[in-house]
Amino acid sequence: MDKNDHRSHEEKKRALLRDGEFYRAGVAHARAQISHAARPEVMFHSVLDHATWVLRTRADALLKPTGTSVSVLAPYALTVLGFIRKRKLGKPALGVAALAGVAAWYMQRKRAQQMAY
């Protein structure tokens, strides 16, 4: 026995029309979401969010052995970046960062060579 058997024809018709209206509203909502997601600025924002998430995940993986994460270091990094911006030390800071990167690469390469022998 179906749960709709005890209802009148009019009640069944109203329920069917209500279900159809919900379906049409769902289709209209889905179409609006698709047309919104297809806009170039929304696509760019999604790509940027995804790239940020990937970088953060990689940085967290690198920092995991130290017991810290990006969210712990972010306030300190923002303070340092604010100081660099206020003092207009952007170019010297980039130079120092490049030198530190080269030094880290050299040390890692040297360590790898020592491990090979």
Side-chain angles (χ1 to χ4, degrees):
M1 179 172 230
D2 189 18
K3 68 177 182 175
N4 294 331
D5 285 343
H6 67 279
R7 296 192 305 185
S8 71
H9 179 70
E10 286 299 318
E11 288 174 337
K12 290 178 186 178
K13 185 177 175 182
R14 279 195 300 271
L16 191 58
L17 286 172
R18 188 175 56 245
D19 288 347
E21 188 60 36
F22 282 138
Y23 178 77
R24 279 192 295 279
V27 169
H29 182 69
R31 289 181 72 192
Q33 280 184 318
I34 290 169
S35 65
H36 174 72
R39 293 173 37 204
E41 62 271 15
V42 174
M43 291 172 96
F44 177 72
H45 195 305
S46 297
V47 167
L48 201 60
D49 283 346
H50 183 72
T52 304
W53 177 81
V54 167
L55 290 174
R56 169 124 188 230
T57 303
R58 293 226 178 188
D60 279 339
L62 288 172
L63 292 172
K64 190 171 187 164
T66 65
T68 188
S69 68
V70 172
S71 60
V72 171
L73 296 177
Y76 301 111
L78 290 175
T79 302
V80 169
L81 288 174
F83 177 79
I84 290 170
R85 264 187 61 209
K86 277 185 191 173
R87 303 285 177 145
K88 297 183 181 177
L89 298 172
K91 288 181 184 177
L94 282 174
V96 169
L99 286 175
V102 169
W105 171 78
Y106 178 74
M107 294 298 287
Q108 186 176 6
R109 185 173 162 230
K110 189 175 178 180
R111 187 177 308 140
Q113 285 178 350
Q114 288 176 349
M115 297 290 266
Y117 293 115

mmCIF file of all heavy atoms in Angstrom, residues 4 13 27 29 33 44 66 77 81 85 93-94 97 99 110:
data_model
loop_
_atom_site.group_PDB
_atom_site.id
_atom_site.type_symbol
_atom_site.label_atom_id
_atom_site.label_comp_id
_atom_site.label_asym_id
_atom_site.label_seq_id
_atom_site.Cartn_x
_atom_site.Cartn_y
_atom_site.Cartn_z
ATOM 1 N N ASN A 4 0.453 7.421 -0.626
ATOM 2 C CA ASN A 4 -0.402 8.397 -1.300
ATOM 3 C C ASN A 4 -1.814 7.856 -1.569
ATOM 4 O O ASN A 4 -2.662 8.575 -2.077
ATOM 5 C CB ASN A 4 0.217 8.821 -2.631
ATOM 6 C CG ASN A 4 1.514 9.583 -2.435
ATOM 7 O OD1 ASN A 4 1.691 10.246 -1.426
ATOM 8 N ND2 ASN A 4 2.418 9.477 -3.396
ATOM 9 N N LYS A 13 -2.454 15.862 -6.782
ATOM 10 C CA LYS A 13 -2.127 16.813 -7.842
ATOM 11 C C LYS A 13 -1.318 17.982 -7.276
ATOM 12 O O LYS A 13 -0.314 18.403 -7.863
ATOM 13 C CB LYS A 13 -3.416 17.311 -8.493
ATOM 14 C CG LYS A 13 -3.206 18.212 -9.670
ATOM 15 C CD LYS A 13 -4.557 18.581 -10.287
ATOM 16 C CE LYS A 13 -4.394 19.591 -11.391
ATOM 17 N NZ LYS A 13 -5.677 19.983 -11.958
ATOM 18 N N VAL A 27 16.659 23.333 -10.986
ATOM 19 C CA VAL A 27 17.282 23.455 -12.305
ATOM 20 C C VAL A 27 17.700 24.905 -12.556
ATOM 21 O O VAL A 27 18.806 25.168 -13.042
ATOM 22 C CB VAL A 27 16.329 22.956 -13.415
ATOM 23 C CG1 VAL A 27 16.835 23.323 -14.795
ATOM 24 C CG2 VAL A 27 16.138 21.450 -13.295
ATOM 25 N N HIS A 29 18.448 27.150 -10.332
ATOM 26 C CA HIS A 29 19.587 27.437 -9.460
ATOM 27 C C HIS A 29 20.874 26.840 -10.033
ATOM 28 O O HIS A 29 21.925 27.498 -10.028
ATOM 29 C CB HIS A 29 19.314 26.881 -8.064
ATOM 30 C CG HIS A 29 20.388 27.170 -7.083
ATOM 31 N ND1 HIS A 29 20.652 28.434 -6.611
ATOM 32 C CD2 HIS A 29 21.294 26.357 -6.486
ATOM 33 C CE1 HIS A 29 21.667 28.388 -5.775
ATOM 34 N NE2 HIS A 29 22.076 27.129 -5.687
ATOM 35 N N GLN A 33 24.240 28.841 -11.222
ATOM 36 C CA GLN A 33 25.570 28.524 -10.705
ATOM 37 C C GLN A 33 26.550 28.277 -11.841
ATOM 38 O O GLN A 33 27.690 28.738 -11.788
ATOM 39 C CB GLN A 33 25.522 27.291 -9.807
ATOM 40 C CG GLN A 33 25.036 27.561 -8.416
ATOM 41 C CD GLN A 33 25.099 26.310 -7.563
ATOM 42 O OE1 GLN A 33 24.747 25.216 -8.011
ATOM 43 N NE2 GLN A 33 25.549 26.475 -6.340
ATOM 44 N N PHE A 44 39.204 32.796 -12.717
ATOM 45 C CA PHE A 44 40.515 33.247 -12.252
ATOM 46 C C PHE A 44 40.602 33.144 -10.736
ATOM 47 O O PHE A 44 41.622 32.692 -10.195
ATOM 48 C CB PHE A 44 40.765 34.691 -12.711
ATOM 49 C CG PHE A 44 42.062 35.248 -12.211
ATOM 50 C CD1 PHE A 44 43.260 34.806 -12.737
ATOM 51 C CD2 PHE A 44 42.086 36.201 -11.215
ATOM 52 C CE1 PHE A 44 44.468 35.301 -12.278
ATOM 53 C CE2 PHE A 44 43.278 36.710 -10.747
ATOM 54 C CZ PHE A 44 44.472 36.265 -11.281
ATOM 55 N N THR A 66 59.424 20.360 11.527
ATOM 56 C CA THR A 66 59.823 21.345 12.540
ATOM 57 C C THR A 66 58.744 21.546 13.592
ATOM 58 O O THR A 66 58.985 22.208 14.598
ATOM 59 C CB THR A 66 60.137 22.706 11.882
ATOM 60 O OG1 THR A 66 58.949 23.232 11.300
ATOM 61 C CG2 THR A 66 61.222 22.581 10.838
ATOM 62 N N ALA A 77 55.539 36.615 9.501
ATOM 63 C CA ALA A 77 55.904 36.956 8.125
ATOM 64 C C ALA A 77 55.224 38.252 7.699
ATOM 65 O O ALA A 77 55.853 39.108 7.050
ATOM 66 C CB ALA A 77 55.526 35.821 7.187
ATOM 67 N N LEU A 81 57.054 41.624 6.516
ATOM 68 C CA LEU A 81 56.731 42.230 5.216
ATOM 69 C C LEU A 81 56.244 43.669 5.381
ATOM 70 O O LEU A 81 56.579 44.541 4.562
ATOM 71 C CB LEU A 81 55.685 41.399 4.482
ATOM 72 C CG LEU A 81 56.175 40.062 3.933
ATOM 73 C CD1 LEU A 81 55.010 39.265 3.356
ATOM 74 C CD2 LEU A 81 57.248 40.261 2.896
ATOM 75 N N ARG A 85 58.041 46.929 3.765
ATOM 76 C CA ARG A 85 57.300 47.892 2.931
ATOM 77 C C ARG A 85 57.404 49.306 3.473
ATOM 78 O O ARG A 85 57.555 50.260 2.713
ATOM 79 C CB ARG A 85 55.823 47.482 2.852
ATOM 80 C CG ARG A 85 55.527 46.684 1.615
ATOM 81 C CD ARG A 85 54.062 46.416 1.431
ATOM 82 N NE ARG A 85 53.290 47.630 1.288
ATOM 83 C CZ ARG A 85 52.024 47.756 1.654
ATOM 84 N NH1 ARG A 85 51.405 46.761 2.220
ATOM 85 N NH2 ARG A 85 51.382 48.873 1.471
ATOM 86 N N ALA A 93 65.741 43.331 0.391
ATOM 87 C CA ALA A 93 65.158 42.114 0.971
ATOM 88 C C ALA A 93 65.115 40.996 -0.067
ATOM 89 O O ALA A 93 65.374 39.830 0.257
ATOM 90 C CB ALA A 93 63.767 42.401 1.505
ATOM 91 N N LEU A 94 64.783 41.335 -1.310
ATOM 92 C CA LEU A 94 64.799 40.324 -2.372
ATOM 93 C C LEU A 94 66.213 39.790 -2.582
ATOM 94 O O LEU A 94 66.406 38.591 -2.798
ATOM 95 C CB LEU A 94 64.261 40.902 -3.677
ATOM 96 C CG LEU A 94 62.749 41.027 -3.782
ATOM 97 C CD1 LEU A 94 62.356 41.740 -5.072
ATOM 98 C CD2 LEU A 94 62.087 39.675 -3.707
ATOM 99 N N ALA A 97 66.983 37.477 0.273
ATOM 100 C CA ALA A 97 66.235 36.230 0.091
ATOM 101 C C ALA A 97 66.877 35.375 -0.999
ATOM 102 O O ALA A 97 66.985 34.148 -0.855
ATOM 103 C CB ALA A 97 64.777 36.527 -0.244
ATOM 104 N N LEU A 99 70.064 35.414 -1.918
ATOM 105 C CA LEU A 99 71.322 34.891 -1.371
ATOM 106 C C LEU A 99 71.065 33.739 -0.399
ATOM 107 O O LEU A 99 71.783 32.737 -0.408
ATOM 108 C CB LEU A 99 72.103 35.992 -0.667
ATOM 109 C CG LEU A 99 72.787 37.008 -1.588
ATOM 110 C CD1 LEU A 99 73.421 38.129 -0.765
ATOM 111 C CD2 LEU A 99 73.834 36.332 -2.448
ATOM 112 N N LYS A 110 75.743 20.189 -1.161
ATOM 113 C CA LYS A 110 76.966 19.720 -0.498
ATOM 114 C C LYS A 110 76.648 18.526 0.408
ATOM 115 O O LYS A 110 77.380 17.538 0.430
ATOM 116 C CB LYS A 110 77.573 20.863 0.316
ATOM 117 C CG LYS A 110 78.931 20.580 0.870
ATOM 118 C CD LYS A 110 79.472 21.816 1.547
ATOM 119 C CE LYS A 110 80.823 21.548 2.173
ATOM 120 N NZ LYS A 110 81.359 22.736 2.842
#
